[in-house]
Amino acid sequence: MKIFIDTANLDMIREINSWGILDGVTTNPSLIAKEGVDVRTRVKEIAEIVDGPVSAEIMSVTAPEMIAEAREVAAIHPNINIKLPMCVETLKAVKVLSAEGIKVNVTLIFSAHQALLAAKAGAAYVSPFVGRLDDIGTYGIDLVAQIMQVFQNYGFATEVIAASIRSPAHVLDAALAGCDIATIPYDILKKMVQHPKTDEGIAKFKADYEKSVKN
Ligand code: E4P
Protein backbone atom coordinates (compact mmCIF):
# COMPACT_ATOMS: atom_id res chain seq x y z
CA MET A 1 0.00 0.00 0.00
CA LYS A 2 1.30 3.46 -0.86
CA ILE A 3 1.54 5.94 1.99
CA PHE A 4 0.71 9.62 1.51
CA ILE A 5 0.82 12.27 4.21
CA ASP A 6 -2.28 14.43 4.64
CA THR A 7 -0.87 17.86 5.51
CA ALA A 8 0.38 21.14 4.08
CA ASN A 9 3.08 21.54 6.76
CA LEU A 10 6.58 21.48 5.24
CA ASP A 11 8.41 20.39 8.41
CA MET A 12 6.10 17.39 8.82
CA ILE A 13 6.49 16.48 5.15
CA ARG A 14 10.29 16.76 5.34
CA GLU A 15 10.43 14.58 8.44
CA ILE A 16 8.19 11.80 7.10
CA ASN A 17 9.97 11.96 3.73
CA SER A 18 13.26 11.35 5.59
CA TRP A 19 11.86 8.02 6.86
CA GLY A 20 11.98 6.68 3.29
CA ILE A 21 8.35 5.55 3.28
CA LEU A 22 6.54 8.52 1.71
CA ASP A 23 4.86 8.07 -1.69
CA GLY A 24 2.88 11.31 -1.98
CA VAL A 25 1.00 14.15 -0.30
CA THR A 26 -2.60 15.30 -0.12
CA THR A 27 -3.64 18.81 0.88
CA ASN A 28 -7.04 20.42 1.18
CA PRO A 29 -8.24 24.02 1.72
CA SER A 30 -8.56 23.48 5.50
CA LEU A 31 -4.97 22.16 5.76
CA ILE A 32 -3.64 25.05 3.63
CA ALA A 33 -5.60 27.59 5.75
CA LYS A 34 -4.05 26.12 8.92
CA GLU A 35 -0.61 27.01 7.51
CA GLY A 36 -1.74 30.53 6.47
CA VAL A 37 -0.07 30.26 3.06
CA ASP A 38 -0.96 30.65 -0.61
CA VAL A 39 -2.03 27.33 -2.11
CA ARG A 40 -0.04 27.56 -5.34
CA THR A 41 3.18 28.55 -3.58
CA ARG A 42 2.78 25.81 -0.99
CA VAL A 43 2.00 22.96 -3.40
CA LYS A 44 5.07 23.94 -5.46
CA GLU A 45 7.22 23.81 -2.31
CA ILE A 46 5.79 20.39 -1.42
CA ALA A 47 6.25 19.05 -4.96
CA GLU A 48 9.92 20.06 -4.82
CA ILE A 49 10.41 18.00 -1.63
CA VAL A 50 8.48 14.81 -2.39
CA ASP A 51 9.13 12.52 -5.33
CA GLY A 52 5.47 11.54 -5.86
CA PRO A 53 1.99 12.89 -6.47
CA VAL A 54 0.88 16.02 -4.59
CA SER A 55 -2.87 16.72 -4.60
CA ALA A 56 -3.78 20.41 -4.88
CA GLU A 57 -7.48 21.13 -4.34
CA ILE A 58 -8.97 23.76 -6.63
CA MET A 59 -12.08 25.74 -5.79
CA SER A 60 -13.71 26.61 -9.14
CA VAL A 61 -17.39 25.70 -9.37
CA THR A 62 -18.21 25.19 -13.07
CA ALA A 63 -16.53 22.64 -15.34
CA PRO A 64 -14.98 25.25 -17.70
CA GLU A 65 -13.56 27.16 -14.70
CA MET A 66 -12.29 23.92 -13.12
CA ILE A 67 -10.57 22.95 -16.36
CA ALA A 68 -8.89 26.35 -16.77
CA GLU A 69 -7.73 26.45 -13.12
CA ALA A 70 -6.58 22.81 -13.22
CA ARG A 71 -4.42 23.45 -16.29
CA GLU A 72 -2.71 26.38 -14.54
CA VAL A 73 -2.11 24.52 -11.27
CA ALA A 74 -0.94 21.29 -12.96
CA ALA A 75 1.59 23.34 -14.97
CA ILE A 76 3.30 24.50 -11.74
CA HIS A 77 5.18 21.19 -11.26
CA PRO A 78 5.02 17.69 -12.85
CA ASN A 79 4.27 16.12 -9.41
CA ILE A 80 1.09 18.18 -8.94
CA ASN A 81 -2.29 16.46 -9.33
CA ILE A 82 -5.64 18.20 -9.17
CA LYS A 83 -8.15 17.51 -6.43
CA LEU A 84 -11.81 18.20 -7.14
CA PRO A 85 -14.89 17.50 -5.00
CA MET A 86 -17.43 14.94 -6.25
CA CYS A 87 -20.24 16.65 -8.24
CA VAL A 88 -21.58 16.74 -11.80
CA GLU A 89 -19.31 19.63 -12.84
CA THR A 90 -16.30 17.67 -11.58
CA LEU A 91 -17.25 14.64 -13.69
CA LYS A 92 -17.38 16.85 -16.80
CA ALA A 93 -14.01 18.42 -15.91
CA VAL A 94 -12.38 15.04 -15.17
CA LYS A 95 -13.35 13.75 -18.61
CA VAL A 96 -11.54 16.64 -20.31
CA LEU A 97 -8.54 16.79 -17.95
CA SER A 98 -7.86 13.05 -17.99
CA ALA A 99 -7.85 13.10 -21.80
CA GLU A 100 -5.13 15.77 -21.56
CA GLY A 101 -3.09 13.61 -19.16
CA ILE A 102 -3.86 15.75 -16.10
CA LYS A 103 -4.47 13.43 -13.14
CA VAL A 104 -7.48 14.20 -10.94
CA ASN A 105 -8.16 13.00 -7.40
CA VAL A 106 -11.94 13.11 -6.90
CA THR A 107 -12.42 13.86 -3.23
CA LEU A 108 -15.28 13.89 -0.71
CA ILE A 109 -16.39 10.42 -1.82
CA PHE A 110 -19.05 9.01 0.51
CA SER A 111 -20.61 6.23 -1.61
CA ALA A 112 -19.48 3.53 -4.04
CA HIS A 113 -21.84 5.03 -6.65
CA GLN A 114 -19.89 8.26 -6.56
CA ALA A 115 -16.61 6.35 -6.90
CA LEU A 116 -17.94 4.38 -9.89
CA LEU A 117 -18.96 7.57 -11.70
CA ALA A 118 -15.62 9.26 -10.97
CA ALA A 119 -13.72 6.22 -12.28
CA LYS A 120 -15.84 6.11 -15.44
CA ALA A 121 -15.13 9.81 -16.07
CA GLY A 122 -11.39 9.02 -15.89
CA ALA A 123 -10.34 9.96 -12.36
CA ALA A 124 -6.79 8.87 -11.49
CA TYR A 125 -7.77 8.63 -7.80
CA VAL A 126 -10.90 8.61 -5.65
CA SER A 127 -10.77 9.56 -1.98
CA PRO A 128 -13.38 7.92 0.28
CA PHE A 129 -13.49 9.67 3.70
CA VAL A 130 -13.30 6.92 6.30
CA GLY A 131 -13.27 8.98 9.51
CA ARG A 132 -16.09 11.31 8.51
CA LEU A 133 -18.31 8.27 7.82
CA ASP A 134 -17.41 6.82 11.23
CA ASP A 135 -18.40 10.21 12.70
CA ILE A 136 -21.99 9.71 11.53
CA GLY A 137 -22.29 6.19 12.89
CA THR A 138 -21.36 4.08 9.86
CA TYR A 139 -18.29 1.95 9.13
CA GLY A 140 -16.19 4.09 6.83
CA ILE A 141 -13.85 1.23 6.00
CA ASP A 142 -16.76 -0.74 4.47
CA LEU A 143 -16.93 1.91 1.76
CA VAL A 144 -13.24 1.41 0.94
CA ALA A 145 -13.81 -2.36 0.61
CA GLN A 146 -16.88 -1.82 -1.62
CA ILE A 147 -15.01 0.52 -3.94
CA MET A 148 -12.05 -1.88 -4.19
CA GLN A 149 -14.47 -4.67 -5.14
CA VAL A 150 -16.27 -2.58 -7.79
CA PHE A 151 -13.00 -1.39 -9.34
CA GLN A 152 -11.65 -4.96 -9.41
CA ASN A 153 -14.88 -6.26 -10.99
CA TYR A 154 -14.44 -3.94 -13.97
CA GLY A 155 -10.68 -3.47 -14.10
CA PHE A 156 -10.66 0.28 -13.46
CA ALA A 157 -7.15 1.76 -13.23
CA THR A 158 -8.40 4.42 -10.78
CA GLU A 159 -6.54 4.16 -7.47
CA VAL A 160 -8.37 4.33 -4.15
CA ILE A 161 -7.02 6.66 -1.46
CA ALA A 162 -8.35 5.92 2.04
CA ALA A 163 -8.75 9.47 3.41
CA SER A 164 -9.95 11.05 6.65
CA ILE A 165 -7.79 8.58 8.57
CA ARG A 166 -8.09 9.01 12.35
CA SER A 167 -6.12 6.10 13.83
CA PRO A 168 -3.47 3.45 13.07
CA ALA A 169 -6.36 0.94 13.06
CA HIS A 170 -7.88 2.80 10.10
CA VAL A 171 -4.60 2.34 8.21
CA LEU A 172 -4.54 -1.37 9.01
CA ASP A 173 -8.19 -1.73 7.94
CA ALA A 174 -7.39 0.01 4.65
CA ALA A 175 -4.42 -2.31 4.05
CA LEU A 176 -6.52 -5.40 4.86
CA ALA A 177 -9.13 -4.18 2.34
CA GLY A 178 -6.34 -4.05 -0.29
CA CYS A 179 -6.64 -0.28 -0.63
CA ASP A 180 -4.08 1.25 -3.03
CA ILE A 181 -3.14 4.25 -0.89
CA ALA A 182 -3.80 5.67 2.59
CA THR A 183 -3.33 9.39 3.18
CA ILE A 184 -2.37 9.71 6.81
CA PRO A 185 -1.99 12.67 9.20
CA TYR A 186 1.46 13.24 10.75
CA ASP A 187 0.45 12.28 14.32
CA ILE A 188 -1.02 8.96 13.13
CA LEU A 189 2.16 8.14 11.19
CA LYS A 190 4.15 8.75 14.39
CA LYS A 191 1.79 6.48 16.34
CA MET A 192 2.21 3.72 13.73
CA VAL A 193 5.92 3.48 14.60
CA GLN A 194 5.36 3.03 18.31
CA HIS A 195 4.61 -0.02 20.46
CA PRO A 196 5.11 -0.16 24.25
CA LYS A 197 6.62 -3.67 24.01
CA THR A 198 9.19 -2.33 21.51
CA ASP A 199 10.13 0.50 23.92
CA GLU A 200 10.32 -2.03 26.78
CA GLY A 201 12.48 -4.37 24.69
CA ILE A 202 14.87 -1.57 23.65
CA ALA A 203 15.25 -0.46 27.29
CA LYS A 204 15.98 -4.03 28.43
CA PHE A 205 18.52 -4.72 25.65
CA LYS A 206 20.25 -1.42 26.45
CA ALA A 207 20.41 -2.18 30.19
CA ASP A 208 21.70 -5.73 29.57
CA TYR A 209 24.28 -4.44 27.07
CA GLU A 210 25.56 -1.87 29.56
CA LYS A 211 25.83 -4.57 32.26
CA SER A 212 27.78 -6.89 29.94
CA VAL A 213 30.16 -4.08 28.87
CA LYS A 214 30.97 -3.35 32.54
CA ASN A 215 31.68 -7.05 33.33
C1 E4P B 1 -8.14 13.88 2.01
O1 E4P B 1 -7.46 14.05 1.02
C2 E4P B 1 -8.48 14.92 2.99
O2 E4P B 1 -7.49 15.93 2.94
C3 E4P B 1 -8.51 14.45 4.42
O3 E4P B 1 -8.15 13.10 4.54
C4 E4P B 1 -9.71 14.88 5.19
O4 E4P B 1 -9.63 14.37 6.51
P1 E4P B 1 -10.49 14.93 7.73
O5 E4P B 1 -11.83 14.29 7.69
O6 E4P B 1 -9.70 14.53 8.93
O7 E4P B 1 -10.56 16.43 7.56
Side-chain angles (χ1 to χ4, degrees):
M1 184 171 69
K2 286 181 239 177
I3 290 182
F4 289 6
I5 186 169
D6 196 28
T7 186
N9 182 283
L10 295 183
D11 290 337
M12 291 177 182
I13 292 168
R14 280 196 196 97
E15 187 191 334
I16 302 302
N17 196 40
S18 77
W19 293 4
I21 52 93
L22 193 62
D23 299 301
V25 181
T26 52
T27 66
N28 67 39
S30 309
L31 295 170
I32 296 276
K34 221 193 275 183
E35 299 300 314
V37 289
D38 164 67
V39 60
R40 293 187 187 202
T41 309
R42 181 47 55 97
V43 292
K44 183 170 186 282
E45 290 168 330
I46 298 171
E48 284 166 354
I49 296 170
V50 179
D51 184 19
V54 177
S55 284
E57 191 151 347
I58 63 171
M59 299 308 293
S60 296
V61 174
T62 67
E65 288 166 353
M66 288 171 176
I67 293 163
E69 192 182 355
R71 284 175 181 151
E72 283 178 21
V73 174
I76 294 173
H77 193 283
N79 287 353
I80 294 179
N81 295 166
I82 302 305
K83 201 178 190 190
L84 285 167
M86 179 63 197
C87 63
V88 169
E89 291 303 296
T90 283
L91 293 176
K92 295 178 198 171
V94 168
K95 186 78 196 162
V96 173
L97 293 168
S98 64
E100 292 177 12
I102 295 176
K103 288 186 171 182
V104 182
N105 171 3
V106 179
T107 189
L108 289 167
I109 293 284
F110 289 94
S111 77
H113 322 106
Q114 292 177 321
L116 176 61
L117 294 174
K120 281 193 70 76
Y125 308 97
V126 290
S127 292
F129 275 40
V130 176
R132 292 194 198 185
L133 279 168
D134 286 2
D135 290 344
I136 57 164
T138 58
Y139 292 103
I141 203 65
D142 288 353
L143 174 60
V144 171
Q146 281 181 358
I147 297 171
M148 291 308 300
Q149 179 70 64
V150 171
F151 285 7
Q152 270 166 27
N153 287 349
Y154 298 101
F156 285 114
T158 306
E159 290 188 280
V160 180
I161 305 178
S164 189
I165 293 287
R166 303 273 167 79
S167 66
H170 272 161
V171 180
L172 177 58
D173 287 342
L176 290 170
C179 193
D180 302 291
I181 302 157
T183 188
I184 309 171
Y186 175 79
D187 58 324
I188 306 297
L189 284 160
K190 298 279 269 193
K191 283 185 189 166
M192 285 169 65
V193 178
Q194 291 156 0
H195 195 288
K197 295 300 284 180
T198 305
D199 297 342
E200 185 187 298
I202 290 172
K204 178 152 182 10
F205 285 151
K206 188 164 179 286
D208 289 346
Y209 171 75
E210 279 163 8
K211 266 189 254 162
S212 69
V213 167
K214 277 179 203 146
N215 288 336

